[in-house]
Amino acid sequence: MIPSVDVPPGDPRLPASPDVIVVYSDLNCSFAHVAVHRLHETRERLGLTGQVRFDHRAFPLELFNRGVNERPGVDSEVAVLGALEPDAGWQLWQEKDWRYPVTMLPALEAVQAAKQQGLHVSEQLDRALRKAFWAQSRCISLRDVILDVAAETGVVDVPDLAGRLDRGEARAAVIEQFESARDDRVVCSPHLFLADGTNAANPGVSARWVNGGFGVGFPVIDSDEPDIYRVLLEKAASLA
């Protein structure tokens, strides 16, 4: 069974096009890193790369929690979530402590700004930023790092992206998405929505914290059913 919420037709959480899956998530979320990796890998394996697209939307944990996503909690997740999808790219933070990202808002804005170049471009930037943080210990709070990562994708028009970031064009979109996710309308990061209202929070993964909550204890995965990504992608393709 897919954990979900009731979504009426025309709800702003739903994609505007039937060939799109909306992905609410934060970049500093290990569960979302697993989900995005599985979305891309499963889409490619099914031959649906040209048929189903991803619309990344911000679920900014720092706004929900009124503070940065605490590093002890993030670190405690790496080995556990990394074991689910080691090929997604993981390592414990290797840079100096003072270079650890204190905010994800600039990077979340960059993903939204990149949509002006197309969803494909935004998808690639989103995934590259996740890898830069989780696998390469890069401070994706910084403008120059964001633009370097964008250049490395080979698909982002970097001067265009830089101009949009410098003008603050995407901040309103991030705040609007935050507002659309409040009051449990979006359960967590990640939460996926299809055009027909089908939705799944943290697809396929059931987890709990032991010996304390986030930042004190550590997560335990009770069940993992990655085949849910095949089900969601094939359904999105059928809707298209």
Side-chain angles (χ1 to χ4, degrees):
M1 183 173 178
I2 304 174
S4 63
V5 296
D6 291 331
V7 186
D11 188 280
R13 290 167 291 182
L14 300 180
S17 175
D19 63 338
V20 171
I21 296 176
V22 163
V23 183
Y24 276 90
S25 72
D26 197 347
L27 293 164
N28 188 357
C29 172
S30 58
F31 290 93
H33 189 38
V34 169
V36 170
H37 175 76
R38 287 178 168 177
L39 277 170
H40 279 271
E41 294 298 309
T42 306
R43 183 177 66 175
E44 182 175 357
R45 187 173 69 250
L46 294 174
L48 296 175
T49 300
Q51 299 179 47
V52 178
R53 299 172 294 158
F54 307 140
D55 179 357
H56 287 283
R57 300 188 186 173
F59 189 91
L61 291 167
E62 65 199 73
L63 298 185
F64 282 102
N65 300 331
R66 301 178 64 86
V68 66
N69 208 21
E70 298 173 4
R71 183 177 164 189
V74 175
D75 285 350
S76 73
E77 295 175 342
V78 171
V80 177
L81 275 294
L84 296 186
E85 287 294 341
D87 291 340
W90 308 85
Q91 65 179 13
L92 290 174
W93 184 255
Q94 298 299 301
E95 262 287 5
K96 303 295 185 183
D97 286 346
W98 57 84
R99 292 182 177 174
Y100 191 81
V102 70
T103 178
M104 289 290 163
L105 291 181
L108 291 170
E109 289 180 37
V111 172
Q112 298 308 309
K115 288 182 184 179
Q116 297 302 314
Q117 300 176 33
L119 285 183
H120 171 71
V121 175
S122 180
E123 290 177 10
Q124 297 306 307
L125 179 58
D126 173 273
R127 196 179 192 193
L129 287 167
R130 294 179 195 276
K131 289 183 176 181
F133 173 66
W134 291 103
Q136 300 167 358
S137 298
R138 297 164 75 178
C139 182
I140 60 173
S141 297
L142 297 176
R143 176 186 184 276
D144 286 346
V145 173
I146 292 169
L147 296 179
D148 286 346
V149 172
E152 291 161 13
T153 67
V155 299
V156 178
D157 181 335
V158 178
D160 177 81
L161 177 65
R164 295 182 188 281
L165 286 177
D166 293 345
R167 293 189 295 272
E169 291 184 8
R171 174 57 65 92
V174 169
I175 299 304
E176 287 170 6
Q177 290 161 17
F178 165 59
E179 293 293 342
S180 74
R182 297 181 70 177
D183 303 321
D184 294 327
R185 285 172 289 176
V186 176
V187 174
C188 63
S189 168
H191 196 154
L192 279 55
F193 292 83
L194 275 61
D196 68 346
T198 298
N199 64 96
N202 205 14
V205 177
S206 176
R208 58 190 166 88
W209 286 84
V210 299
N211 295 337
F214 183 81
V216 177
F218 57 90
V220 171
I221 306 300
D222 288 325
S223 63
D224 179 33
E225 300 175 9
D227 192 57
I228 189 60
Y229 288 89
R230 176 190 61 79
V231 174
L232 291 169
L233 281 155
E234 288 181 343
K235 184 162 191 179
S238 71
L239 294 173

